[in-house]
């Protein structure tokens, strides 16, 4: 008499995908709510509590790095600090080219230790381009809500 | 010659088709004892103890054969001169087809293996049998000679003298559980050692059957291919408990097995509603691999990963936090100029703007009064100044060499309270012009002053 289970019979084994789907959606939700759409600044811009967000594709970036030594000279770079050293005329030309391409904003990413006078000189140079608005790059205050 | 089935009470073994001589020899040799059970072979009659059958335990004497001249008290009509009937028990139920038997006159090996003695010579069967009228008042049964004592029932049934007939029990059969029919046991024909295990299983099942309800029982018939559906290679058949065949075989030998709920039972099968039809046999067979009805989540996972990739690839919009400062213009150049030849008197500027001065060391003064280098403190001081004088524009006059962060601090405070911003362009330090401003040193006028933010 054989009333035992036939162990040799094939079983329908499936991997339960439900926990995997749950984890995927959890990750998606986490990424959507916590991702910070901000660019990695190459320079240590000063913090500020207020400010407006400017899209990367709608602005022309100029970078002012801190002097290598106290009292030294700052470097004006085109772009996000990866371009070559530029002059004020080149910065003005870059702003003009940006306006032609629809990028009417100029963002000056100046290090917090850069002399204030040098920042203003760069701002005055690009302000000569018609239709340009000047912005100073800042960052969120660390530890601020 | 009739044969008998012997059930060993101690070893729980069954031997079939034993002749009377073999049984007597086994009793004499001690292989059998009074507690062993006996019944006619091939029948489903109830078992009886050997000890209850004096025909087996006591050796018959030759003088017990009734004399042709009976006692005078016996009336002539009690003699039965008919031919001796054959040893044929009269079971109350139709006798099923007898299982294949061994050679009837050859005792089973087990009995033969015992210390056998020469079987006693059976007494000659008498051609005449007599019956004593039970209503005869002259001779009490207790005082009558042994030959006149009322013969056992097998004599009345026409059995042979050496054929121990199963006694007819006057007492009713003890009550049994409903699940255990009187004829519910039939031992397998094979007496191999391997069958002992099966017998043990039967006993366990019987014990289990006593604990469950009779409705949950099924009967598994063996040695009958037409009885039901073949379950497996063991050839077990399981008829429907409600089928007509099962009902008709109620008196036949069968083994009652309980139906134990098992999780392996195919729950998807419709409930069996058997009403005695031949085609509705109850079956324990599994209906193939169980189909798992569950939602296939693989496409859902694919879509989820597609969405993740889409967001990761297309989320290229990076926002930069910025502070918008006034755009310097030539028209407003002279208006906010605080230094140089075209400088306006400081007194006039103080009437229009809230003066914020930052020296090279980072000290911040609002309207000439120092304030902590904190955005909150600066904002509070600016708010107070605005409320007192009604001035709505902040004029930042910072040293050329002051760090950029101090100027941003003033911008942030002004934006916080909604004041306009005017920036006074500082005078460059003495010495060569910075190399970062080659364009500015090429004969162009100095950078324009800041413009007030309306």
């Amino acid at each position: 008499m054989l009333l035992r289970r036939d162990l040799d019979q094939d079983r329908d084994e499936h991997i339960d995908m439900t926990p995997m789907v749950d984890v995927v959606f959890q990750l998606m939700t986490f990424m959507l709510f916590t991702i910070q759409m901000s660019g990695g600044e190459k320079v240590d811009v000063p913090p500020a509590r207020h400010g407006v967000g400017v899209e990367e594709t709608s602005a022309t970036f100029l970078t002012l790095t801190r002097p290598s030594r106290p009292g030294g000279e700052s470097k004006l770079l085109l772009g996000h600090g990866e371009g070559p050293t530029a002059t004020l005329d080149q910065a003005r030309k870059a702003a003009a080219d940006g306006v032609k391409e629809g990028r009417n904003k100029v963002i000056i990413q100046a290090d917090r230790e850069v002399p204030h006078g040098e920042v203003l000189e760069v701002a005055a140079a690009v302000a000569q381009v018609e239709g340009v608005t000047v912005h100073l790059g800042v960052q969120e205050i660390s530890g601020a809500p | 010659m009739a044969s008998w089935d012997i059930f060993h009470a101690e070893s729980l073994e069954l031997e079939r088709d034993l002749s009377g001589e073999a049984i007597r020899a086994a009793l004499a040799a001690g292989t059998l004892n009074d507690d062993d059970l006996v019944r006619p072979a091939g029948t489903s009659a109830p078992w009886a103890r050997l000890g209850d059958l004096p025909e087996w335990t006591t050796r018959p004497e030759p003088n017990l054969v009734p004399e042709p001249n009976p006692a005078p008290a016996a009336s002539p009509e009690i003699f039965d001169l008919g031919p001796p009937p054959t040893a044929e028990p009269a079971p109350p139920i139709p006798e099923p087809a007898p299982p294949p038997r061994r050679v009837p006159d050859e005792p089973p090996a087990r009995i033969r293996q015992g210390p056998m003695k020469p079987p006693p010579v059976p007494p000659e069967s008498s051609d005449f049998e007599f019956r004593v009228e039970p209503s005869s008042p002259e001779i009490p049964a207790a005082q009558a000679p042994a030959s006149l004592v009322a013969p056992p029932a097998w004599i009345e049934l026409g059995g042979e003298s050496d054929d121990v007939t199963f006694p007819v029990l006057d007492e009713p059969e003890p009550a049994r559980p409903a699940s255990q029919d009187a004829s519910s046991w039939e031992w397998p024909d094979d007496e191999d050692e391997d069958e002992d295990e099966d017998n043990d299983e039967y006993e366990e099942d019987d014990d289990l059957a006593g604990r469950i309800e009779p409705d949950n029982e099924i009967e598994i018939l063996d040695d009958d291919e037409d009885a039901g559906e073949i379950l497996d290679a063991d050839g077990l058949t399981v008829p429907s408990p409600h089928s007509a065949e099962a009902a008709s075989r109620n008196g036949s030998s069968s083994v009652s097995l309980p139906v134990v709920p098992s999780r392996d039972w195919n729950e998807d099968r419709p409930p069996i509603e058997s009403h005695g039809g031949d085609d509705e046999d109850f079956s324990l067979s599994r209906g193939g691999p169980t189909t798992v009805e569950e939602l296939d989540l693989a496409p859902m996972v694919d879509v989820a990963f597609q969405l993740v990739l889409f967001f990761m690839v297309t989320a290229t919009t990076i926002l930069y936090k910025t502070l918008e400062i006034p755009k310097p213009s030539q028209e407003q150049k002279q208006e906010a100029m605080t230094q140089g030849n075209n400088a306006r008197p400081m007194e006039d500027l103080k009437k229009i703007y809230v003066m914020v001065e930052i020296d090279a060391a980072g000290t911040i003064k609002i309207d000439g009064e120092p304030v902590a280098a904190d955005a909150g403190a600066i904002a509070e001081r600016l708010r107070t100044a605005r409320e007192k004088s009604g001035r709505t524009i902040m004029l930042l006059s910072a040293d050329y060499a002051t760090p950029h962060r101090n100027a941003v601090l003033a911008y942030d405070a002004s934006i916080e309270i909604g004041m306009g911003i005017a920036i006074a362009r500082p005078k460059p330090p003495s010495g060569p012009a910075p190399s970062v401003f080659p364009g500015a040193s090429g004969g162009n006028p100095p950078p324009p002053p800041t413009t007030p933010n309306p």
Side-chain angles (χ1 to χ4, degrees):
Chain A
M1 181 173 63
L2 178 61
L3 289 179
R4 295 186 297 271
R5 295 167 54 188
D6 191 0
L7 298 178
D8 295 332
Q9 189 172 8
D10 294 336
R11 291 183 174 276
D12 194 3
E13 299 291 346
H14 285 285
I15 298 176
D16 190 5
M17 303 291 288
T18 306
M20 186 176 179
V21 175
D22 294 341
V23 171
V24 169
F25 278 107
Q26 294 277 353
L27 288 175
M28 288 181 62
T29 306
F30 175 77
M31 292 176 62
L32 289 175
F33 280 94
T34 60
I35 189 170
Q36 191 171 3
M37 298 292 185
S38 61
E41 291 81 5
K42 303 298 187 296
V43 294
D44 188 15
V45 295
R49 292 190 294 183
H50 302 86
V52 294
V54 178
E55 294 183 2
E56 182 182 18
T57 56
S58 62
T60 300
F61 285 84
L62 299 175
T63 304
L64 276 173
T65 61
R66 67 168 60 189
S68 58
R69 54 182 176 83
E73 299 175 353
S74 302
K75 290 184 178 179
L76 175 62
L77 306 175
L78 299 180
H80 295 282
E82 298 173 351
T85 303
T87 61
L88 291 177
D89 291 337
Q90 292 174 341
R92 190 182 304 109
K93 184 177 183 300
D97 294 340
V99 171
K100 292 179 182 178
E101 296 174 358
R103 294 180 278 114
N104 297 326
K105 299 176 181 176
V106 175
I107 299 177
I108 301 174
Q109 298 278 71
D111 192 276
R112 63 175 67 188
E113 301 298 333
V114 171
H116 169 67
E118 296 180 0
V119 175
L120 289 184
E121 289 184 5
V122 173
V126 299
Q128 296 176 6
V129 179
E130 190 69 22
V132 167
T133 59
V134 181
H135 297 258
L136 296 177
V138 294
Q139 62 179 341
E140 292 288 342
I141 299 176
S142 59
Chain B
M1 180 177 293
S3 59
W4 306 88
D5 293 340
I6 295 296
F7 181 72
H8 296 269
E10 295 181 355
S11 60
L12 302 179
E13 294 179 353
L14 179 67
E15 296 188 40
R16 294 180 179 274
D17 297 334
L18 297 179
S19 63
E21 292 79 3
I23 295 175
R24 288 192 180 91
L27 285 171
T31 306
L32 295 176
N33 52 28
D34 293 343
D35 293 333
D36 294 337
L37 305 179
V38 63
R39 73 175 181 184
T43 65
S44 59
W47 295 92
R49 292 178 65 251
L50 283 173
D52 297 337
L53 302 175
E55 295 84 355
W56 294 112
T57 56
T58 60
R59 185 167 182 169
E61 298 179 357
N63 56 359
L64 293 179
V65 177
E67 296 292 337
N69 188 10
S75 61
E77 14 323 343
I78 65 175
F79 291 100
D80 186 4
L81 300 178
T86 58
E88 180 178 358
I93 55 177
E95 183 178 1
R101 300 182 178 182
R102 299 187 182 90
V103 178
D105 295 334
E106 181 179 0
R110 187 180 181 283
I111 298 295
R112 286 183 298 179
Q113 291 174 356
M116 293 187 60
K117 295 179 180 180
V121 178
E124 293 294 332
S125 61
S126 175
D127 295 334
F128 300 96
E129 294 183 357
F130 65 93
R131 291 183 297 181
V132 177
E133 281 290 332
S135 61
S136 176
E138 290 81 8
I139 304 176
Q143 299 176 358
S147 60
L148 298 180
V149 174
W154 58 270
I155 296 180
E156 297 181 357
L157 296 176
E160 295 179 0
S161 59
D162 60 343
D163 189 6
V164 178
T165 308
F166 198 77
V168 177
L169 300 177
D170 295 333
E171 298 178 356
E173 187 176 2
R176 300 187 179 189
S179 61
Q180 183 177 358
D181 197 315
S183 58
S184 62
W185 293 95
E186 179 174 351
W187 302 96
D189 295 332
D190 297 333
E191 292 296 327
D192 297 335
E193 296 297 332
D194 297 336
E195 293 295 326
D196 294 338
E197 298 179 356
D198 295 337
N199 293 337
D200 296 336
E201 294 180 0
Y202 291 157
E203 293 177 2
E204 295 176 0
D205 294 336
D206 184 43
D207 296 337
L208 185 57
R211 297 193 299 267
I212 64 173
E213 297 180 0
D215 295 337
N216 293 333
E217 291 185 356
I218 60 172
E219 291 183 350
I220 297 180
L221 304 180
D222 56 353
D223 296 337
D224 192 352
E225 297 179 357
D226 298 332
E229 179 181 357
I230 296 176
L231 279 180
D232 47 24
D234 293 343
L236 292 177
T237 57
V238 181
S240 173
H242 304 288
S243 63
E245 294 182 6
S248 63
R249 294 178 181 275
N250 191 17
S252 63
S253 61
S254 61
V255 177
S256 298
L257 293 178
V259 176
V260 179
S262 174
R263 67 180 182 90
D264 293 336
W265 187 265
N266 190 358
E267 299 292 344
D268 298 334
R269 294 184 60 179
I272 299 175
E273 296 179 0
S274 177
H275 300 288
D278 295 335
D279 296 334
E280 297 178 354
D281 289 339
F282 183 74
S283 176
L284 284 177
S285 62
R286 304 177 63 180
T290 303
T291 58
V292 179
E293 297 294 341
E294 61 181 14
L295 182 62
D296 187 10
L297 297 177
M300 191 175 182
V301 176
D302 295 340
V303 172
F305 279 112
Q306 295 281 350
L307 289 175
V308 171
L309 292 178
F310 173 77
F311 282 114
M312 292 180 64
V313 172
T314 59
T316 57
T317 302
I318 300 176
L319 299 178
Y320 286 84
K321 186 176 182 180
T322 61
L323 292 177
E324 185 176 1
I325 59 175
K327 178 183 177 182
S329 63
Q330 291 296 117
E331 293 76 11
Q332 297 173 348
K333 173 182 176 181
Q334 302 298 327
E335 183 178 356
M337 184 67 69
T338 57
Q339 296 179 358
N341 297 329
N342 297 324
R344 299 175 61 179
M346 184 62 69
E347 297 301 327
D348 296 341
L349 294 177
K350 288 183 179 179
K351 295 178 182 177
I352 302 174
Y353 306 105
V354 176
M355 299 298 297
V356 178
E357 299 171 291
I358 305 176
D359 59 7
T363 303
I364 301 175
K365 295 180 179 179
I366 297 179
D367 289 337
E369 298 180 0
V371 65
D374 181 71
I378 297 173
E380 184 64 24
R381 185 66 65 85
L382 291 175
R383 183 181 294 108
T384 304
R386 182 181 59 184
E387 292 176 355
K388 287 182 178 179
S389 60
R391 296 170 293 181
T392 58
I393 300 175
M394 177 196 73
L395 177 60
L396 177 62
S397 177
D399 189 85
Y400 187 95
T402 189
H404 174 57
R405 62 175 185 274
N406 295 329
V408 171
L409 198 62
Y411 298 151
D412 193 17
S414 175
I415 293 175
E416 182 176 354
I417 62 175
M419 291 187 69
I421 299 175
I423 303 174
R425 183 183 176 186
K427 181 181 179 180
S430 60
S435 60
V436 296
F437 304 129
S441 61
N444 292 332
T450 59
T451 57
N453 192 9

